[in-house]
Coordinates of all heavy atoms in Angstrom, one line a residue:
R375 N -2.5 -14.8 -12.3 CA -3.0 -14.3 -11.0 C -2.7 -12.8 -10.8 O -3.1 -12.2 -9.8 CB -2.4 -15.1 -9.9 CG -0.9 -15.0 -9.7 CD -0.5 -15.8 -8.5 NE 0.9 -15.6 -8.2 CZ 1.9 -16.4 -8.6 NH1 1.6 -17.4 -9.4 NH2 3.2 -16.2 -8.3
H376 N -1.9 -12.2 -11.7 CA -1.6 -10.7 -11.6 C -2.3 -9.9 -12.7 O -2.0 -8.7 -12.9 CB -0.1 -10.5 -11.8 CG 0.7 -11.0 -10.6 ND1 2.0 -11.3 -10.7 CD2 0.3 -11.4 -9.3 CE1 2.4 -11.8 -9.5 NE2 1.4 -11.8 -8.7
Q377 N -3.3 -10.5 -13.4 CA -4.0 -9.8 -14.5 C -5.2 -9.1 -14.0 O -5.8 -8.3 -14.8 CB -4.3 -10.8 -15.6 CG -3.1 -11.3 -16.3 CD -3.4 -12.3 -17.4 OE1 -4.6 -12.5 -17.7 NE2 -2.4 -13.0 -17.9
S378 N -5.7 -9.3 -12.8 CA -6.8 -8.6 -12.2 C -6.7 -8.6 -10.7 O -6.1 -9.5 -10.1 CB -8.1 -9.2 -12.7 OG -8.4 -10.4 -12.1
L379 N -7.4 -7.7 -10.1 CA -7.4 -7.7 -8.6 C -8.2 -8.9 -8.1 O -7.8 -9.5 -7.1 CB -8.1 -6.4 -8.1 CG -7.2 -5.2 -8.0 CD1 -7.9 -4.0 -7.3 CD2 -5.9 -5.4 -7.3
R380 N -9.3 -9.3 -8.8 CA -10.0 -10.4 -8.4 C -9.1 -11.7 -8.5 O -9.2 -12.6 -7.6 CB -11.3 -10.6 -9.2 CG -12.2 -11.7 -8.7 CD -13.4 -11.9 -9.6 NE -14.3 -10.8 -9.4 CZ -15.2 -10.6 -8.4 NH1 -15.2 -11.6 -7.4 NH2 -16.0 -9.6 -8.3
A381 N -8.3 -11.8 -9.5 CA -7.4 -12.9 -9.6 C -6.4 -13.0 -8.5 O -6.1 -14.0 -7.9 CB -6.7 -12.9 -11.0
V382 N -5.9 -11.8 -8.1 CA -4.9 -11.7 -7.0 C -5.6 -12.2 -5.7 O -5.1 -13.0 -4.9 CB -4.4 -10.2 -6.8 CG1 -3.6 -10.1 -5.5 CG2 -3.6 -9.8 -8.0
F383 N -6.8 -11.7 -5.4 CA -7.5 -12.0 -4.2 C -7.9 -13.5 -4.2 O -7.8 -14.2 -3.2 CB -8.8 -11.2 -4.0 CG -8.5 -9.7 -3.9 CD1 -9.4 -8.8 -4.3 CD2 -7.3 -9.3 -3.3 CE1 -9.2 -7.4 -4.2 CE2 -7.1 -7.9 -3.1 CZ -8.0 -7.0 -3.6
E384 N -8.3 -14.0 -5.4 CA -8.7 -15.4 -5.5 C -7.5 -16.3 -5.2 O -7.6 -17.4 -4.6 CB -9.4 -15.7 -6.8 CG -10.0 -17.1 -6.9 CD -11.1 -17.3 -5.9 OE1 -11.8 -16.3 -5.5 OE2 -11.4 -18.4 -5.5
Y385 N -6.4 -16.0 -5.7 CA -5.2 -16.7 -5.5 C -4.8 -16.8 -4.0 O -4.5 -17.9 -3.5 CB -4.0 -16.1 -6.3 CG -2.7 -16.9 -6.1 CD1 -2.4 -18.0 -6.8 CD2 -1.7 -16.3 -5.2 CE1 -1.2 -18.7 -6.6 CE2 -0.5 -17.0 -5.0 CZ -0.2 -18.2 -5.7 OH 0.9 -18.8 -5.5
S386 N -4.9 -15.6 -3.4 CA -4.7 -15.6 -1.9 C -5.7 -16.4 -1.1 O -5.4 -17.1 -0.2 CB -4.7 -14.2 -1.4 OG -3.6 -13.4 -2.0
W387 N -7.0 -16.3 -1.6 CA -8.0 -17.1 -0.9 C -7.8 -18.6 -1.0 O -8.0 -19.3 0.0 CB -9.4 -16.7 -1.7 CG -10.5 -17.5 -1.2 CD1 -11.0 -18.7 -1.8 CD2 -11.4 -17.3 -0.1 NE1 -12.1 -19.1 -1.1 CE2 -12.4 -18.3 -0.1 CE3 -11.4 -16.3 0.9 CZ2 -13.4 -18.4 0.9 CZ3 -12.4 -16.4 1.9 CH2 -13.3 -17.4 1.9
R388 N -7.3 -19.1 -2.1 CA -7.1 -20.5 -2.2 C -6.0 -21.0 -1.4 O -5.9 -22.2 -1.1 CB -6.9 -20.9 -3.7 CG -8.1 -20.7 -4.6 CD -7.9 -21.5 -5.9 NE -6.8 -20.9 -6.7 CZ -7.0 -20.0 -7.6 NH1 -8.2 -19.5 -7.9 NH2 -5.9 -19.6 -8.3
L389 N -5.1 -20.1 -0.9 CA -4.0 -20.5 -0.1 C -4.4 -20.7 1.4 O -3.7 -21.2 2.2 CB -2.9 -19.5 -0.2 CG -2.2 -19.4 -1.5 CD1 -1.1 -18.3 -1.4 CD2 -1.5 -20.7 -1.9
L390 N -5.7 -20.2 1.7 CA -6.1 -20.3 3.1 C -6.7 -21.7 3.4 O -7.3 -22.4 2.5 CB -7.2 -19.3 3.3 CG -6.9 -17.8 3.1 CD1 -8.1 -16.9 3.4 CD2 -5.7 -17.4 4.0
N391 N -6.6 -22.1 4.6 CA -7.3 -23.4 5.0 C -8.8 -23.1 5.2 O -9.2 -21.9 5.2 CB -6.6 -24.1 6.2 CG -6.7 -23.2 7.4 OD1 -7.7 -22.6 7.7 ND2 -5.5 -23.2 8.2
G392 N -9.5 -24.1 5.5 CA -11.0 -24.0 5.6 C -11.4 -23.1 6.8 O -12.3 -22.2 6.6
S393 N -10.7 -23.2 7.9 CA -11.0 -22.4 9.0 C -10.7 -20.9 8.8 O -11.5 -20.0 9.2 CB -10.2 -22.8 10.3 OG -10.6 -24.1 10.6
E394 N -9.6 -20.6 8.1 CA -9.3 -19.3 7.8 C -10.3 -18.6 6.8 O -10.6 -17.5 6.9 CB -7.8 -19.2 7.2 CG -6.8 -19.5 8.2 CD -5.4 -19.6 7.6 OE1 -5.3 -20.1 6.4 OE2 -4.4 -19.3 8.2
Q395 N -10.7 -19.4 5.8 CA -11.7 -18.9 4.8 C -13.0 -18.6 5.5 O -13.6 -17.5 5.3 CB -11.9 -20.0 3.7 CG -10.8 -20.1 2.8 CD -11.0 -21.2 1.7 OE1 -12.0 -21.9 1.8 NE2 -10.2 -21.2 0.7
A396 N -13.4 -19.5 6.4 CA -14.7 -19.3 7.1 C -14.6 -18.0 8.0 O -15.5 -17.2 8.1 CB -15.0 -20.5 8.0
A397 N -13.4 -17.8 8.7 CA -13.3 -16.7 9.6 C -13.2 -15.4 8.7 O -13.9 -14.4 9.1 CB -12.0 -16.8 10.4
L398 N -12.5 -15.4 7.6 CA -12.4 -14.2 6.8 C -13.7 -13.8 6.2 O -14.0 -12.6 6.1 CB -11.4 -14.4 5.7 CG -11.0 -13.2 4.8 CD1 -10.3 -12.1 5.7 CD2 -10.0 -13.6 3.7
Q399 N -14.5 -14.7 5.9 CA -15.9 -14.4 5.4 C -16.7 -13.7 6.4 O -17.4 -12.7 6.1 CB -16.6 -15.7 4.9 CG -16.2 -16.2 3.6 CD -17.0 -17.3 3.1 OE1 -16.8 -18.5 3.5 NE2 -17.9 -17.1 2.2
K400 N -16.6 -14.1 7.7 CA -17.4 -13.5 8.7 C -16.8 -12.1 9.1 O -17.5 -11.1 9.3 CB -17.4 -14.4 10.0 CG -18.2 -15.6 9.8 CD -18.2 -16.5 11.1 CE -19.1 -17.6 11.0 NZ -18.7 -18.6 10.0
L401 N -15.4 -12.0 9.0 CA -14.8 -10.7 9.3 C -15.1 -9.7 8.2 O -15.1 -8.5 8.5 CB -13.3 -10.9 9.4 CG -12.7 -11.8 10.5 CD1 -11.3 -12.0 10.4 CD2 -13.1 -11.1 11.9
A402 N -15.5 -10.1 7.0 CA -15.9 -9.2 6.0 C -17.2 -8.5 6.3 O -17.5 -7.5 5.6 CB -15.9 -9.9 4.6

Side-chain angles (χ1 to χ4, degrees):
R375 67 176 183 269
H376 292 160
Q377 291 177 9
S378 72
L379 281 187
R380 187 178 291 277
V382 171
F383 296 149
E384 189 61 29
Y385 179 79
S386 298
W387 172 264
R388 291 197 296 268
L389 295 178
L390 301 178
N391 62 41
S393 297
E394 290 172 328
Q395 289 180 349
L398 188 61
Q399 282 186 281
K400 292 182 173 66
L401 294 173

